[in-house]
Amino acid sequence: MATPHIHVAALFQPYTLRFYDGDEQPSSPEAPPPPHNTSVPELPSRLDVQRSSTIDLPTRPSTTSLFHGPTPPLTPTAAAQEFFSPLATSESLKSSRRHSRQLGDPRSLARSELDELARDPVYNQPRSRAGPLPSGSILDFAKVHEQLKQDKLKEAKKKTYSPPQSRGSRNHSHERGFEDKPWTVEPALMGNEGLINALRSLASEESLELSWIGTLGFPTEALPASARENIDDHMLNEYQSSVVYVSDKDFDGHYTHYSKTILWPIFHYQVPDHPKSKAYEDHSWGFYENVNQAFADKIVESYKRGDTIWVHDYHLLLVPGMVRKKLPDASIGFFLHTAFPSSEIFRCLATRKELLEGMLGANLVAFQTDEYAQHFLQTCSRILTVETTSEGVQLEDHFVNVTSAPIGINPAAIDESREDPDVQKWIDDIGERYKDKLLIVARDKLDNVHGVRQKLLAYELFLNKYPDLARKTVLIQVATSTSEQSELITTVSDICSRIDNKYSSLVHQPLVFLKQDIETSQYLALMSVADVLMITALRDGMNLTCHEYIYCQDGKAGSKKHGPLILSEFTGSAAVFKDHLIINPWDYQKMADAIKIALLMSDAEKEHRWRAMHSVIMEQTGARWARQLDKALAKVHEEHNQRSSTSVPRLSTVAVSEKYKRAGNRVFIIDYEGTLAPHKTREGIPLTSPTRVVDTLNDLMNDPKNTVYIMSGRKPEELESVFRTANGLGLIAENGCFVRSYGVPANGWEVMVDMDDVERWKDDVQAVLNYYHERMEGSYIEERHCSTLFRYEKVEDQEAAIRTGGDCADQINSGFQNMSIHAVPINKAVLIEQVEFSKGTAATNAYNTLKDKSSRGGSSPVDFLMVAGDDREDEVVFRWANQLGKDKEVRDVFTVSVGRRNTEAQAAVTQGSTGLLGVLQKLGKISFDSAPVDYFNSPRKARVSGQ
């Protein structure tokens, strides 16, 4: 069996390059990085390279560096910050270098989802040539878009990205310099570390081929073609990694101006409303498309039949759809690592439809939690006006599965990292410095999403409300800066100063605020010695910091253990853990109280809560997450292939005829509209008798071995009018709400639903339908006995009608969940019907009735079953019938889809209703030719007349 090959596409791959000037040597003599023409470790790992940073609080005077003369006496706050600074001592500096580990170091730990674009000067990488983006002024709109159009045509002619022609000796020298510079492969400083750790863990446990597709994380336009060729060969052969090259302008417009300025805030419930986002919205969308297309092209180039493709995160939302156009049969999965907002937020995006359609190019779309998956389904229903179920999205020609799977951590990697002697040293140092103190620790990005400001305000309130605890409590807040947000930084600085001025003394400092990242050893030490971890994110896809905290609280590396977790209800992790202290980051009073509860919690309760959460993280590891998603994708891809219109074989009339001849008891369950007769016209189906259809059914019913049922969404009286000359025909009306059994005279209908319940939900839904009807000229409401249709085929503006129909369906599905009804967008209408009753339930009841009669009367059981239909409402009947065949309850089962569509039917009739009628007429002729029966006195007539 061939080893599975998985292509993982993410904006940043785990590797980047470091360039060397002249005789420059690696800064660390302990492990010099090899030049690009020497061997490299076979399986490199993602490293946690920490960049040293000075403390940066705008309202505080900066201290003199240790390397620039003597340092004046420090205040308590500055002293605590200096304690954690990686440049505090020469010994610490050596430690910092040790923590800048080389490729292949098994102790490396990627502990957060760092995703901030930054050019690291240590790696000596090229500078961006993007220049300023086009003008955002509305006055320059036409000019700018014409220029962008011309640029796009030029890029299309090139077909591949290449550096621009040099415009002088300076640029030419710059290119030649990078062509000649030696380089090494290094761990990337950007990217999704949770993803990398999870896949690395899976690869170590199972035999599979894994290749990365992504950018190198720095501007590449300055690299000449020869250098790119060398890099491509080396990365592909040594690291199983394909590099995506894009122009610097495309990359800057995609990442900085669309992904980070528009998508990131929207996905975290913050609608951008500032000049920067408005100015670049139209322009940056084009750059976003270009980068996504470059990824799709690279995936198609790398793909071989049988490979699996996984696309990750919000940077590449269009890629699944782009790849699907080129590879219609490929197995494509998409996972969104961030939160997915509600439809009310997502609809604010100007490009909402394009983004959704791009995601729906995948076979499987996956999210961190069920909440995000439901938001996605609701958004698809509302914006695209498509049918959604709990399993996924039903499109016109295929089904897209939607699921959720929370990502986890790699416990083995944490264990190896904790074996570092520096970790124990920091545990001892922190324990000694904060002896007899209650430590609250936190590590967050300093942005408007992760709630650092709210946390500090709640902590300030805690210090004010509980002065006894305030004198022995310390909050150590590590705030990693992601971008320049001066207003937020100023606000946070003011709060820190207020706390420091009011509550600090020479012997106690209640707040240590570090606007910097810290070393891996310091981070693991803090996680081990903390009494409480506090996470107050306003929205977060999944916060792995709390997973690592729970794991480090096992007591193996320090004297403290089983510390409580204070966790925002708006994080994905809150849906994973059930024994944390849940808080609303907007409720400062409750957060202050939660801090008190956590600090005073008994040891027994701490241990009980910790064990429950620890069992979760040990079960839901990163490797399990990756394995679960890969199995789910393989399953749904196989199902999609089976349902594909190209995979469903045509119905063999010969095979059906042979099985028909040998059958002793046959059942036909056939849909009417679209199957036996064309769908209704704009004016509606004429309710006159369709002669050919009725004649064909009468021929079948004249054989006493046959039982025939017709299914429809029409009302009972309409079906009776259509089939008034087909005496004794079994009828299923309003998609299963009414059944007239086979052989029963006219008007012998059985009501399957509680009509009182129907009237109640109809009265409630009517107000919603009237609201949309009044706002859409040309729409009308069609009442049936057990269902209602809101039709808008006569509305002039169909685009607005479809959008309004989606809103109507969404409102009904959201507001009437307790009434067991659902609204389904169908062709130019919204159908509101009961959930419990369908064509499937009616077919099951009819079949069971026949089976009971045959067992009581001693006749042969059903051994031939044919089900035919043409739309989504018939799929449940196909599924039921196929299962009867698999269980061998019915010997010969034929499920037939009329038309060309993805289906669960075993066969298809592509000629439409005419083709199916031809098959049924042939079967009726077989009965006529083979049975010596007096059809003028047939058993069917005897049953109908009651003889």
Side-chain angles (χ1 to χ4, degrees):
M1 182 177 177
T3 303
H5 191 104
I6 302 176
H7 300 280
V8 182
L11 183 63
F12 302 114
Q13 56 175 270
Y15 319 111
T16 189
L17 301 182
R18 179 178 181 180
F19 294 88
Y20 297 90
D21 286 323
D23 297 329
E24 180 187 1
Q25 297 297 321
S27 58
S28 172
E30 301 172 8
H36 69 273
N37 58 350
T38 63
S39 61
V40 294
E42 185 176 0
L43 181 62
S45 61
R46 173 62 185 269
L47 310 179
D48 194 1
V49 181
Q50 301 298 336
R51 288 172 287 171
S52 302
S53 173
T54 57
I55 310 306
D56 184 17
L57 285 177
T59 60
R60 299 186 184 279
S62 59
T63 58
T64 305
S65 169
L66 294 176
F67 301 101
H68 294 82
T71 304
L74 297 172
T75 65
T77 299
Q81 292 170 337
E82 196 70 27
F83 174 75
F84 286 99
S85 173
L87 298 180
T89 63
S90 58
E91 185 64 29
S92 178
L93 180 59
K94 293 178 183 178
S95 174
S96 175
R97 287 176 177 174
R98 285 198 300 273
H99 280 278
S100 296
R101 297 168 183 161
Q102 299 304 312
L103 289 170
D105 189 333
R107 299 174 301 169
S108 68
L109 171 67
R111 65 178 184 273
S112 67
E113 296 181 3
L114 179 64
D115 192 6
E116 181 60 24
L117 186 61
R119 176 182 172 273
D120 196 305
V122 175
Y123 284 175
N124 192 31
Q125 293 167 343
R127 296 183 181 275
S128 175
R129 295 184 172 186
L133 287 184
S135 168
S137 171
I138 195 67
L139 299 178
D140 298 329
F141 185 85
K143 177 181 177 182
V144 166
H145 276 266
E146 181 61 29
Q147 182 60 47
L148 291 174
K149 182 179 178 181
Q150 295 300 324
D151 292 344
K152 197 168 185 178
L153 290 174
K154 291 178 181 178
E155 290 294 331
K157 290 180 179 179
K158 292 180 182 179
K159 294 186 179 179
T160 57
Y161 289 96
S162 59
Q165 299 295 324
S166 59
R167 297 181 180 178
S169 59
R170 183 177 179 181
N171 285 346
H172 181 70
S173 173
H174 189 59
E175 289 188 12
R176 186 171 59 246
F178 275 100
E179 184 176 11
D180 298 336
K181 287 180 180 179
W183 47 265
T184 58
V185 179
E186 301 287 349
L189 297 175
M190 296 169 291
N192 190 323
E193 292 147 311
L195 166 65
I196 296 167
N197 282 334
L199 293 180
R200 187 175 61 196
S201 177
L202 179 65
S204 66
E205 295 179 10
E206 299 186 2
S207 175
L208 54 84
E209 294 181 2
L210 191 67
S211 63
W212 290 89
I213 296 176
T215 69
L216 292 170
F218 64 85
T220 56
E221 197 170 288
L223 297 178
S226 58
R228 295 188 190 190
E229 186 175 342
N230 290 336
I231 293 169
D232 284 344
D233 291 343
H234 185 73
M235 295 300 295
L236 188 60
N237 295 328
E238 301 296 333
Y239 295 97
Q240 295 76 50
S241 175
S242 298
V243 182
V244 177
Y245 293 104
V246 297
S247 70
D248 293 355
K249 180 171 286 188
D250 278 346
F251 191 73
D252 183 47
H254 163 279
Y255 186 83
T256 306
H257 296 285
Y258 194 83
S259 294
K260 281 300 181 183
T261 306
I262 296 175
L263 284 184
W264 173 265
I266 283 284
F267 277 35
H268 291 83
Y269 283 74
Q270 298 187 5
V271 180
D273 188 23
H274 51 84
K276 188 175 183 180
S277 68
K278 291 178 180 177
Y280 289 110
E281 182 171 1
D282 288 324
H283 310 330
S284 59
W285 169 249
F287 301 133
Y288 186 83
E289 283 184 304
N290 292 344
V291 171
N292 276 254
Q293 188 63 61
F295 268 83
D297 293 342
K298 180 61 70 173
I299 291 172
V300 172
E301 176 187 321
S302 306
Y303 177 82
K304 292 183 179 179
R305 188 175 183 83
D307 291 354
T308 298
I309 300 167
W310 270 104
V311 182
H312 288 271
D313 228 355
Y314 64 101
H315 315 95
L316 305 176
L317 297 177
L318 302 179
V319 171
M322 292 174 169
V323 174
R324 180 65 64 196
K325 291 178 181 178
K326 298 290 183 66
L327 304 173
D329 299 324
S331 176
I332 305 174
F334 177 83
F335 190 88
L336 184 68
H337 292 263
T338 67
F340 192 89
S342 70
S343 60
E344 287 295 338
I345 300 295
F346 192 87
R347 71 189 304 191
C348 296
L349 285 167
T351 54
R352 57 197 182 181
K353 185 176 180 181
E354 292 84 348
L355 294 172
L356 290 175
E357 289 174 344
M359 297 172 69
L360 291 173
N363 299 101
L364 178 68
V365 180
F367 300 87
Q368 298 277 17
T369 69
D370 289 339
E371 177 189 357
Y372 305 151
Q374 289 303 314
H375 284 172
F376 176 73
L377 292 172
Q378 184 185 52
T379 303
C380 288
S381 173
R382 189 171 188 178
I383 294 177
L384 300 181
T385 319
V386 293
E387 179 190 358
T388 60
T389 69
S390 57
E391 290 80 25
V393 181
Q394 180 65 61
L395 300 178
E396 184 67 26
D397 57 350
H398 68 284
F399 187 82
V400 178
N401 287 77
V402 176
T403 188
S404 64
I407 195 172
I409 59 174
N410 184 353
I414 298 179
D415 282 337
E416 292 184 72
S417 297
R418 290 199 296 179
E419 293 175 0
D420 189 335
D422 285 346
V423 175
Q424 189 60 52
K425 179 180 180 300
W426 275 108
I427 289 175
D428 296 339
D429 290 347
I430 297 173
E432 179 64 27
R433 183 177 184 88
Y434 297 102
K435 186 178 181 180
D436 301 326
K437 299 293 185 183
L438 297 172
L439 283 185
I440 305 171
V441 300
R443 180 178 180 270
D444 310 276
K445 293 179 183 179
L446 186 55
D447 58 21
N448 289 317
V449 169
H450 287 87
V452 175
R453 179 179 69 86
Q454 287 78 4
K455 182 188 306 176
L456 293 177
L457 289 173
Y459 183 63
E460 183 180 19
L461 181 60
F462 162 79
L463 296 174
N464 185 46
K465 288 183 67 175
Y466 307 108
D468 292 339
L469 286 174
R471 285 189 284 270
K472 54 182 178 181
T473 303
V474 177
L475 169 62
I476 301 177
Q477 173 68 63
V478 179
T480 60
S481 181
T482 59
S483 59
E484 195 61 37
Q485 301 186 42
S486 56
E487 183 178 349
L488 175 62
I489 294 174
T490 301
T491 302
V492 167
S493 178
D494 290 341
I495 300 171
C496 292
S497 298
R498 209 162 54 230
I499 293 175
D500 194 17
N501 293 336
K502 185 173 181 179
Y503 299 102
S504 292
S505 67
L506 290 175
V507 295
H508 178 63
Q509 177 201 358
L511 174 63
V512 178
F513 187 89
L514 304 174
K515 187 177 176 291
Q516 64 180 71
D517 209 344
I518 55 177
E519 299 175 13
T520 305
S521 56
Q522 291 177 330
Y523 170 75
L524 291 176
L526 280 178
M527 294 293 104
S528 302
V529 304
D531 292 283
V532 179
L533 176 70
M534 190 171 185
I535 295 174
T536 57
L538 308 183
R539 184 65 59 171
D540 208 355
M542 185 65 60
N543 193 300
L544 293 184
T545 299
C546 60
H547 294 63
E548 291 158 358
Y549 166 74
I550 295 298
Y551 191 78
C552 290
Q553 284 288 308
D554 55 8
K556 295 180 180 179
S559 59
K560 295 183 179 180
K561 61 181 179 179
H562 306 157
L565 170 64
I566 300 176
L567 184 60
S568 165
E569 65 180 280
F570 301 116
T571 64
S573 299
V576 174
F577 298 132
K578 303 300 181 185
D579 291 87
H580 58 282
L581 294 173
I582 189 167
I583 53 99
N584 177 355
W586 299 104
D587 190 339
Y588 304 124
Q589 293 280 354
K590 292 291 179 62
M591 280 200 287
D593 293 340
I595 295 174
K596 176 191 174 185
I597 293 171
L599 295 176
L600 300 181
M601 188 178 294
S602 67
D603 291 342
E605 185 177 356
K606 286 180 182 179
E607 182 176 2
H608 172 75
R609 290 173 177 266
W610 178 84
R611 289 192 181 280
M613 292 186 285
H614 185 262
S615 65
V616 172
I617 65 172
M618 294 305 295
E619 179 183 354
Q620 298 183 6
T621 62
R624 180 183 180 274
W625 166 82
R627 188 182 303 109
Q628 177 183 354
L629 285 178
D630 194 49
K631 288 182 178 179
L633 177 57
K635 180 182 178 182
V636 302
H637 181 249
E638 182 180 357
E639 292 175 352
H640 292 180
N641 281 342
Q642 292 174 352
R643 299 179 188 177
S644 172
S645 59
T646 58
S647 301
V648 178
R650 292 185 179 180
L651 180 66
S652 171
T653 307
V654 174
V656 174
S657 300
E658 290 300 319
K659 299 292 178 66
Y660 182 88
K661 290 176 183 178
R662 72 174 188 175
N665 199 349
R666 315 181 191 101
V667 175
F668 293 83
I669 302 177
I670 305 172
D671 176 55
Y672 178 49
E673 295 100 336
T675 304
L676 282 178
H679 276 290
K680 69 183 184 69
T681 63
R682 184 182 180 90
E683 292 75 22
I685 294 180
L687 297 182
T688 55
S689 176
T691 305
R692 185 185 177 194
V693 171
V694 174
D695 289 345
T696 302
L697 297 177
N698 279 328
D699 288 344
L700 287 174
M701 290 190 295
N702 279 330
D703 189 332
K705 296 180 180 180
N706 294 342
T707 300
V708 184
Y709 276 86
I710 296 298
M711 305 181 292
S712 174
R714 308 303 299 181
K715 293 187 288 188
E717 54 268 30
E718 293 174 345
L719 285 185
E720 281 193 343
S721 176
V722 173
F723 299 104
R724 59 185 178 274
T725 58
N727 296 326
L729 177 67
L731 295 176
I732 297 173
E734 294 201 30
N735 293 331
C737 293
F738 298 90
V739 177
R740 192 184 77 179
S741 297
Y742 182 75
V744 174
N747 300 320
W749 289 92
E750 181 182 358
V751 182
M752 310 299 295
V753 300
D754 186 332
M755 294 305 297
D756 291 335
D757 287 342
V758 172
E759 292 303 318
R760 277 193 290 271
W761 70 253
K762 276 193 170 187
D763 289 341
D764 292 337
V765 169
Q766 191 67 37
V768 177
L769 296 180
N770 288 338
Y771 172 84
Y772 288 99
H773 168 57
E774 292 170 0
R775 284 155 181 77
M776 197 187 307
E777 184 177 356
S779 65
Y780 61 98
I781 300 171
E782 178 184 331
E783 289 286 352
R784 297 177 180 175
H785 295 298
C786 296
S787 60
T788 303
L789 284 102
F790 175 55
R791 295 193 177 277
Y792 44 82
E793 71 268 16
K794 298 180 181 179
V795 175
E796 184 175 346
D797 187 350
Q798 276 297 303
E799 184 176 349
I802 291 172
R803 184 169 60 250
T804 304
D807 290 346
C808 177
D810 178 67
Q811 184 172 343
I812 293 173
N813 288 330
S814 301
F816 300 92
Q817 293 178 351
N818 61 337
M819 292 189 174
S820 297
I821 63 173
H822 65 167
V824 182
I826 59 177
N827 185 31
K828 297 183 180 181
V830 175
L831 171 64
I832 303 97
E833 61 182 1
Q834 307 221 150
V835 176
E836 294 97 334
F837 300 95
S838 65
K839 291 178 179 178
T841 58
T844 303
N845 290 334
Y847 172 80
N848 290 336
T849 300
L850 289 171
K851 190 167 67 170
D852 291 342
K853 286 183 179 180
S854 64
S855 62
R856 290 196 305 267
S859 59
S860 61
V862 175
D863 51 11
F864 179 96
L865 173 63
M866 174 179 280
V867 176
D870 75 308
D871 59 20
R872 65 100 192 167
E873 294 168 339
D874 303 315
E875 293 296 319
V876 63
V877 193
F878 294 154
R879 195 176 307 121
W880 162 76
N882 289 337
Q883 192 60 47
L884 290 179
K886 290 178 183 178
D887 296 340
K888 300 190 182 304
E889 186 171 337
V890 178
R891 185 182 62 201
D892 300 320
V893 174
F894 293 90
T895 49
V896 184
S897 175
V898 176
R900 300 177 183 273
R901 62 187 301 273
N902 280 37
T903 179
E904 293 191 42
Q906 298 172 344
V909 174
T910 58
Q911 302 94 334
S913 58
T914 302
L916 180 65
L917 278 174
V919 174
L920 296 178
Q921 285 174 330
K922 183 172 183 179
L923 297 180
K925 188 174 185 301
I926 291 174
S927 292
F928 183 85
D929 292 340
S930 61
V933 123
D934 181 4
Y935 284 101
F936 292 101
N937 297 285
S938 67
R940 177 177 69 86
K941 291 185 177 181
R943 288 196 303 270
V944 171
S945 62
Q947 298 176 4

